[in-house]
Amino acid sequence: MEKLFLIIKREYLTRVKKRSFILTTILTPLAFALFFLVVGFIFSYESDDVKRVAILDEAGILESGGVSNERNLVFIPEEKSLEELRQNLESLEYDGILRIPPITNLYAKSYTIFYYSEKPPTLDVETLISSKINKRIEAYKIQELQLDVAQLEALDSKVSINPEPLDENGEDSSQFTGAIGAAIGSFMGIIMYMTVFIYGMMVMRSVMEEKTNRIVEVMISSVRPFQLMLGKIIGVGAVGLTQIAIWAVLIPTLGFLVTLIFGIDTSGMQGMQNMGSGAAQAIDPEDAANMAQQILLAMGELNWGMILVLFLFYFLGGFFLYSSLFAAVGSAMSDDLGESQALTLPITIPVLIAFYIMFAAVQSPNSSLAIWASIFPLFSPIVMPARLAFQPPVWEVALSMGVLIATCILFVWISSRIYRVGILMYGKKVTLRTLGKWIFYKD
Amino acid sequence: MKPILKLEEVVKTYGDHVAVDHVSFEVNKGAIFGLLGPNGAGKTSIIRIITTITRADSGQVYLNGEKLGSRHPNTIGYMPEERGLYRKMKVGDHLIYLARLKGLSKTDAKTAIDYWLEKFEITHWWNKKVEELSKGMQQKIQFIATVVHNPQILILDEPFSGLDPINTNLIKSEILRMKHAGTSIIFSTHRMEQVEEICEHIALIDQGKNVLEGQVANIKQQFKENLFEIHYEGQPVLPERAGLQVVSNEGGRLIIQLEDDRASNQILQELLKQSIYIHSFREILPSLNEIFIRQVETDKRS
């Protein structure tokens, strides 16, 4: 036991003390923060030169109210003729002329207005102008057709679905539960997927290094091969947990700081929305606040303690299961890269399949594919965390956990059987068949 | 003397291949025991059984009269033929790690390592990374790692391979010093001249079998061909007698073979009577190398 602890300690400390570990652990959140900073900056960017636009209102739609100015766009109603304006554009210090032709048909669905300038307007200027004029035309039509404003506003309604349980005492979930479950689920699934690959591969490389380095024979004259393998897996697993824990604290903190210091908030995001949906109306701030509240409410309804504990369980389970396989394969490897790929492929394929099933499970968390994949031990570490936010039945979780624990023990045992033979085997071409034979070798 | 290590009919197979075939031998306390044999003979397989890396399929191994078990690795120091260290670790940390895996406490490990580093005058290496050291330097560290826990049995597999003459001598004298301090040493090699120098007792392994075992001096007696070499000046006349054969005679160097080695005294007496000058008269004993080759050849034929 004491020797196992010594091995774990060394495996953990040598990795955590490495400069590359410290750098990636700290730089990754910084990179995220920088990314959001740049994105925020890009979307909040506005050209600083102010454009003056003369408006020739031939339709008379602006009589009921002018066009409000924007930060970098000034609208000035003009009485001069188009010809006059066109010729004296520069001396009058205009950048463009907007001509609104008379409206002949109040029932037309589309209208064309004209913009005269040296250079065609940029996309944002174009969308801004058309949305402003559209509003004016709307107001003009209401006035001309003598429509009732209150009635018109009543037409503008939305429908949202609020899921209710059949059983009256059942838990009421908010309309956002599905979306939040999917978001949390795929986030967890992706973390699991990365963990299995990054840290599993780390175990494999380390086993391979010990073998090609020839330190391994010295080591196993002091400790049992099983202790060495287990110590390595636990040590690397602890490194993974450390890294994820640091990120879990650092990323939200940095995100918060970035928002606080640089004030990249709704204004930037609204710019994004305007760009994306063209003339669509910006979200009503009241609606947005309401939605945020609902999301928070829905998130509050989730059993976070349970989700975190289970996530930790599946993290460890998936890590032990796959990294023991990676250790077994690493012990059989030589420096030959092609050969090592042939050996890792059978491990990476289930991980990839699980990754895709995870996305399907997030879409429909109670499909039979999702249920069985979250019980099958090779997939469950990635698929089950993705389903956790959807409150899967207790028996499914319990069964999945039981199967995973049993499989972990089995795989660690099998892997240690392969490992003890593999680390002392040099210069032999190894196939999956030979690995299978090694399991049954005597000690 | 009570043997510290005793192997009884040890067998180890890998698949269809019999790596160790009913091998028995004993190693005495404070002795240097040579485990000899060509490459692939099964030496490393035997060593791995003694170091508890693998287990024998059948047969018994006793250490200090006890059956080999899980606590014994702490009393064994093993330097494998193919050796290595963690390249990224610092020398001091590395040695402490390996010493603690042998059951030493942190302070004991530190004291022992300080002693050895001072002895080799390399205390300033403590904070150097292993990869910064030359190959020869790494070998020294490897040797320290093998003996740091003061093992009762020291098993060295080709300890001098890759060592320069200075380091070879350094390690050799350390081995001899430890032997005098009571450590038993198993020395595995196929380099015979090293064995003749330092081993008193050997076992010759070939194709997994122990084909020859005993005191080096006895084995030489057993394999000698009663050859005698005489360096002389003048014209010696050899007496006519049965059982005497001249093997060669040129340039003042005469080699004869006797059927009965006890007859050598009489021959020398007769030669001394003649008016010749005898520089030397000595019995030619076979080198271990010759015995080794002869034994392996006969093994192959049978």
Side-chain angles (χ1 to χ4, degrees), chain A residues 3 10 210 217 221-222 443, chain B residues 12 55 74 78 86 101:
Chain A
K3 290 183 178 181
R10 192 200 85 88
E210 269 175 12
E217 197 163 345
S221 69
S222 299
D443 243 334
Chain B
K12 177 79 188 172
R55 231 182 302 224
N74 286 0
Y78 172 40
Y86 291 112
L101 286 180

Side-chain angles (χ1 to χ4, degrees), chain A residues 72-269:
Chain A
N72 56 352
L73 216 52
V74 178
F75 297 101
I76 298 143
E78 269 294 349
E79 300 295 327
K80 298 190 180 77
S81 73
L82 179 63
E83 267 323 295
E84 201 179 333
L85 284 170
R86 280 171 92 167
Q87 273 157 18
N88 302 314
L89 197 67
E90 261 176 55
S91 61
L92 289 167
E93 293 184 343
Y94 282 127
D95 293 285
I97 309 155
L98 189 67
R99 182 168 73 88
I100 305 160
I103 290 172
T104 48
N105 181 6
L106 281 173
Y107 292 92
K109 292 242 174 206
S110 69
Y111 297 94
T112 310
I113 57 175
F114 303 92
Y115 187 79
Y116 303 86
S117 66
E118 200 118 325
K119 281 174 256 169
T122 54
L123 187 66
D124 55 337
V125 170
E126 204 179 301
T127 51
L128 198 77
I129 290 174
S130 64
S131 102
K132 279 184 186 293
I133 300 302
N134 200 29
K135 271 197 188 135
R136 295 317 315 162
I137 289 178
E138 210 177 277
Y140 176 73
K141 278 182 173 179
I142 290 171
Q143 194 194 331
E144 292 295 300
L145 293 171
Q146 294 176 341
L147 300 172
D148 181 15
V149 179
Q151 281 178 349
L152 276 174
E153 268 175 14
L155 279 179
D156 186 22
S157 56
K158 267 188 298 213
V159 173
S160 57
I161 294 178
N162 189 5
E164 292 289 332
L166 274 178
D167 183 356
E168 260 182 63
N169 300 322
E171 270 181 69
D172 189 4
S173 47
S174 108
Q175 49 178 330
F176 290 101
T177 311
I180 288 169
I184 294 170
S186 36
F187 179 69
M188 283 186 171
I190 288 169
I191 287 189
M192 286 303 307
Y193 169 80
M194 285 178 18
T195 307
V196 165
F197 265 123
I198 295 175
Y199 299 107
M201 287 285 188
M202 205 185 262
V203 169
M204 183 183 80
R205 260 203 314 276
S206 160
V207 168
M208 210 173 113
E209 253 172 47
E210 269 175 12
K211 184 184 173 183
T212 48
N213 236 357
R214 310 274 179 162
I215 174 80
V216 72
E217 197 163 345
V218 175
M219 290 298 296
I220 58 172
S221 69
S222 299
V223 300
R224 299 232 54 81
F226 179 70
Q227 287 174 313
L228 186 58
M229 188 186 96
L230 198 64
K232 189 174 289 299
I233 292 176
I234 295 175
V236 173
V239 173
L241 279 181
T242 308
Q243 195 160 46
I244 288 177
I246 292 175
W247 285 346
V249 174
L250 220 53
I251 292 178
T253 314
L254 276 178
F256 181 68
L257 281 181
V258 165
T259 339
L260 211 64
I261 296 169
F262 299 94
I264 286 135
D265 45 12
T266 40
S267 70
M269 297 304 147

Side-chain angles (χ1 to χ4, degrees), chain A residues 2-3 6-7 9-10 14 210 213-215 217-224 424 441-443, chain B residues 12-13 48 52-53 55 57 73-74 78 80 82-87 89 97 100-102 142:
Chain A
E2 207 203 327
K3 290 183 178 181
L6 280 170
I7 296 167
K9 196 173 131 197
R10 192 200 85 88
T14 47
E210 269 175 12
N213 236 357
R214 310 274 179 162
I215 174 80
E217 197 163 345
V218 175
M219 290 298 296
I220 58 172
S221 69
S222 299
V223 300
R224 299 232 54 81
L424 293 174
Y441 267 24
K442 282 164 288 179
D443 243 334
Chain B
K12 177 79 188 172
T13 54
R48 283 181 182 166
T52 72
I53 289 175
R55 231 182 302 224
D57 298 347
N74 286 0
Y78 172 40
E82 299 284 357
R83 34 195 174 254
L85 298 162
Y86 291 112
R87 296 168 46 76
M89 270 184 111
Y97 179 56
R100 295 207 63 195
L101 286 180
K102 284 292 187 189
Q142 194 99 45

Side-chain angles (χ1 to χ4, degrees), chain A residues 404-422:
Chain A
L404 185 58
I405 291 174
T407 317
C408 269
I409 294 170
L410 179 73
F411 276 27
V412 169
W413 180 76
I414 287 178
S415 296
S416 75
R417 302 281 297 175
I418 295 174
Y419 176 84
R420 96 216 129 106
V421 180

Side-chain angles (χ1 to χ4, degrees), chain B residues 112-182:
Chain B
I113 292 162
D114 279 339
Y115 165 81
W116 280 101
L117 289 182
E118 257 163 54
K119 183 170 201 115
F120 286 166
E121 296 170 352
I122 49 174
T123 39
H124 57 287
W125 288 5
W126 187 280
N127 275 320
K128 272 197 180 159
K129 277 190 181 167
V130 170
E131 61 185 353
E132 292 167 35
L133 302 179
S134 74
K135 192 108 194 202
M137 292 160 141
Q138 288 184 24
Q139 305 251 28
K140 276 189 193 168
I141 302 299
Q142 194 99 45
F143 182 75
I144 295 175
T146 312
V147 297
V148 68
H149 57 295
N150 203 11
Q152 293 177 17
I153 299 189
L154 188 59
I155 302 176
L156 306 168
D157 199 349
E158 301 288 357
F160 304 129
S161 76
L163 280 188
D164 61 41
I166 295 170
N167 278 327
T168 303
N169 272 336
L170 184 78
I171 304 280
K172 207 185 283 173
S173 63
E174 275 316 311
I175 293 173
L176 291 173
R177 197 193 55 77
M178 289 180 72
K179 166 199 146 73
H180 289 303

